[in-house]
Amino acid sequence: PFWRDLGLSHSPRGEPQLVPTMARKWKQINKFIEIFDAAVRSAGLAAPVRLADFGSGKGYLTFAMHDYLRQQGLAPQVHGVELREDMVTLCNAVARTHGLQGLVFEQGDVRERGDMRLDVMVALHACDIATDYAMHFGLRSGARIIMCAPCCHKQIRPQMRTPAALRPLLQHGIHLGQEAEMVTDSLRALLLELCGYETQVIDFIALEHTSKNKMLLAVRRALDPTPARRAELLAQLDEIKRFYGLREQALESLLRAEGRLAP
């Protein structure tokens, strides 16, 4: 019933139906839950599951994750964190109306949050280095699962020195932007693996539904990387930065400040 209050469904003839203009959103929600289900099973989460969704917006995915975890008997404690006060007010009202225990929305920014223990950290479409801060928060919070769909890769692009062999390819702005996106998310994936996660870069959903279709999915491994694997990953990180002339990447800087990238 909460989908009606969120504007996703209606009952024009007494039976609940999907609002036609929300068909794409509904497909995104279901695809996300399919990926989320696989991650939860892989991580072997047990009740209660503590989850934070940063940039929760109107709460579609936050409500969906809470509903999924509840149906799995995982006693969810879900926090949606959003900058826009009107969205927070709306989502809290819907959660109260339907008696959804363990679902709370708060106004705030991931960069201003104090530490909290988490099992799952989700941040979809956080702009530029806000994704890095969200990942770092997930790492600090001990999250077993980190799910991010990055957006607006601004930090790396102005730093990139085009290697001579790639200049004919990257002379076009659109290709340079795509390359900056690939390099940024590849560095993030390497850093998450260094921190002990099995990391995938996957399609969130087909391009006809959204242009922001890339997801970084990280599930904590039982064991940290061996010293030899750490050395290999650090060498790969340094080689990518050297090849493109990169000076700084936000998640790397945050982890180095904590001493987490020492050989």
Side-chain angles (χ1 to χ4, degrees):
F2 58 79
W3 293 125
R4 183 178 60 250
D5 292 350
L6 293 173
L8 201 76
S9 67
H10 60 169
S11 305
R13 299 178 183 85
E15 290 293 324
Q17 296 179 19
L18 184 67
V19 174
T21 57
M22 299 300 287
R24 288 187 176 182
K25 179 61 68 177
W26 184 239
K27 186 156 188 173
Q28 290 177 37
I29 292 167
N30 280 275
K31 180 61 176 178
F32 179 87
I33 293 299
E34 180 183 326
I35 296 168
F36 183 60
D37 168 69
V40 168
R41 294 178 187 278
S42 176
L45 299 186
V49 171
R50 301 158 296 184
L51 182 152
D53 180 11
F54 291 102
S56 54
K58 202 171 181 179
Y60 297 121
L61 294 179
T62 326
F63 277 85
M65 288 186 287
H66 178 272
D67 188 60
Y68 164 83
L69 291 169
R70 183 183 57 79
Q71 291 187 41
Q72 300 302 313
L74 291 174
Q77 299 295 319
V78 175
H79 291 259
V81 182
E82 169 60 40
L83 286 171
R84 292 168 291 179
E85 185 177 4
D86 58 334
M87 295 291 98
V88 173
T89 300
L90 169 67
C91 291
N92 275 326
V94 173
R96 283 194 301 269
T97 296
H98 296 282
L100 301 179
Q101 299 297 316
L103 178 59
V104 176
F105 293 82
E106 306 164 10
Q107 188 176 15
D109 187 317
V110 66
R111 283 171 278 198
E112 300 169 356
R113 303 286 298 183
D115 286 350
M116 61 188 293
R117 299 306 301 168
L118 289 177
D119 299 295
V120 184
M121 193 290 300
V122 177
L124 302 187
H125 304 154
C127 188
D128 194 27
I129 62 172
T131 291
D132 298 291
Y133 278 93
M135 289 179 173
H136 185 241
F137 186 89
L139 292 169
R140 293 199 334 261
S141 300
R144 299 277 300 281
I145 299 172
I146 293 175
M147 303 179 75
C148 292
C151 180
C152 307
H153 301 68
K154 298 177 182 178
Q155 185 188 32
I156 291 295
R157 181 169 175 168
Q159 297 180 49
M160 285 180 61
R161 182 183 66 232
T162 306
L166 299 183
R167 283 173 193 159
L169 302 177
L170 302 183
Q171 64 179 313
H172 308 289
I174 187 171
H175 288 166
L176 182 60
Q178 290 167 344
E179 187 84 347
E181 177 181 329
M182 182 187 71
V183 171
T184 301
D185 291 332
S186 296
L187 291 174
R188 288 166 170 163
L190 284 173
L191 290 163
L192 288 169
E193 187 175 348
L194 270 162
C195 292
Y197 289 75
E198 181 177 352
T199 308
Q200 303 175 67
V201 183
I202 60 176
D203 281 339
F204 172 16
I205 194 166
L207 280 170
E208 65 262 26
H209 299 289
T210 174
S211 60
K212 301 173 184 178
N213 72 323
K214 184 187 293 184
M215 175 179 287
L216 274 77
L217 172 62
V219 177
R220 189 75 168 85
R221 294 178 183 272
L223 299 174
D224 287 332
T226 64
R229 180 56 178 161
R230 280 186 62 84
E232 182 182 4
L233 291 168
L234 287 167
Q236 291 173 0
L237 185 71
D238 290 341
E239 177 60 19
I240 292 171
K241 290 177 63 183
R242 184 201 62 76
F243 184 75
Y244 286 102
L246 304 179
R247 301 179 302 279
E248 181 181 14
Q249 198 282 324
L251 181 58
E252 181 193 9
S253 298
L254 291 166
L255 293 173
R256 287 199 184 280
E258 295 177 340
R260 295 186 64 166
L261 297 186

